[in-house]
Amino acid sequence: MKACVLYSGGKDSSLIAVILTKLGYEVELVTINFGIFDSFKPAAKSASALGFKHRVFKADKKILENATDIIINDGFPNNGINYIHKEALDLVSRDYNVVADGTRRDDRIPKLKGNEINSLEGRQNVEYITLRGFGHKTINNLSDVLFEVKKEQTSMENNSDYEIEIRYLINEIEGENASSKIFPSHIQSRVVGWKNKI
């Protein structure tokens, strides 16, 4: 059965892709893009390095604009990121019967609540699979065994999270570097290859 993994190029989404492959799914890595910045490129490189099929899913720019409005009004990213993630899951659910992402037990955003998962599966008639039972420490331990990972300060060139196109749009609306007041500086971990392929 074909499974879509919403893919950023990071450890979490790479790990769920490996798990689903080992369980017999035909995995396709999918990165959402809204057409204002080519944020999918780092994820495409990571997917290629791991040997997975990768697809860029072009989404309506209005979703990005709505998320950006939420974030600007709130002054913090959580609600806007969760909104865009729910929309992304709805979009890919039109093309796949199994959808997955790398959200884990201790994530704060993006993350669906139990009733939201039930709603997604019921409305879209899909199976939704995550790393919900895994914590940060376990993900790091498994990733250290499996993947070569590059860690660096996050930037527009090394990140395929929703955050990148949101940052781009905030800077267009509010002025250069305005997004840095909302999104804190942080280290980005991107999978660049296998350490031990299983």
Side-chain angles (χ1 to χ4, degrees):
M1 185 182 292
K2 190 177 283 189
C4 159
V5 173
L6 287 177
Y7 192 64
S8 67
K11 296 181 291 188
D12 300 347
S13 52
S14 296
L15 183 59
I16 192 70
V18 171
I19 291 169
L20 291 176
T21 299
K22 287 298 173 185
L23 291 172
Y25 289 93
E26 180 188 341
V27 172
E28 192 165 275
L29 306 182
V30 176
T31 304
I32 302 293
N33 187 264
F34 299 94
I36 70 161
F37 186 79
D38 289 346
S39 59
F40 57 85
K41 289 181 177 179
K45 287 180 185 175
S46 295
S48 177
L50 296 178
F52 283 101
K53 290 181 187 175
H54 182 258
R55 174 184 177 193
V56 178
F57 197 109
K58 297 290 186 182
D60 188 343
K61 184 181 173 185
K62 186 68 180 162
I63 296 169
L64 179 71
E65 291 168 345
N66 290 343
T68 301
D69 287 343
I70 292 166
I71 290 167
I72 290 171
N73 289 332
D74 288 350
F76 59 89
N78 295 26
N79 295 325
I81 296 288
N82 274 331
Y83 163 79
I84 210 168
H85 188 62
K86 290 175 203 171
E87 292 292 323
L89 287 166
D90 273 346
L91 287 172
V92 297
S93 292
R94 297 174 191 168
D95 288 4
Y96 298 89
N97 294 322
V98 176
V99 294
D101 61 45
T103 55
R104 60 181 190 263
R105 181 180 66 228
D106 45 10
D107 275 338
R108 289 185 298 161
I109 58 164
K111 190 171 188 176
L112 271 63
K113 298 174 184 166
N115 64 323
E116 292 170 325
I117 293 170
N118 293 340
S119 174
L120 172 69
E121 290 185 330
R123 282 183 294 105
Q124 301 289 6
N125 193 29
V126 296
E127 296 175 48
Y128 175 55
I129 303 171
T130 70
L131 294 172
R132 195 171 181 144
F134 292 77
H136 181 70
K137 185 184 283 189
T138 303
I139 300 291
N140 282 342
N141 289 340
L142 292 171
S143 296
D144 285 346
V145 170
L146 293 173
F147 305 127
E148 293 290 343
V149 176
K150 186 174 186 179
K151 296 180 181 181
E152 55 192 349
Q153 194 70 36
T154 193
S155 74
M156 301 294 280
E157 285 72 42
N158 66 5
N159 190 333
S160 293
D161 291 338
Y162 308 126
E163 169 188 338
I164 296 305
E165 282 190 285
I166 293 170
R167 278 180 180 262
Y168 189 93
L169 191 53
I170 288 173
N171 291 342
E172 277 193 345
I173 295 167
E174 300 283 303
E176 190 176 347
N177 295 322
S179 64
S180 62
K181 296 173 186 170
I182 295 174
F183 289 94
S185 177
H186 60 279
I187 298 297
Q188 176 70 25
S189 296
R190 187 170 63 83
V191 172
V192 295
W194 290 103
K195 190 181 289 181
N196 294 297
K197 189 171 182 178
I198 58 170

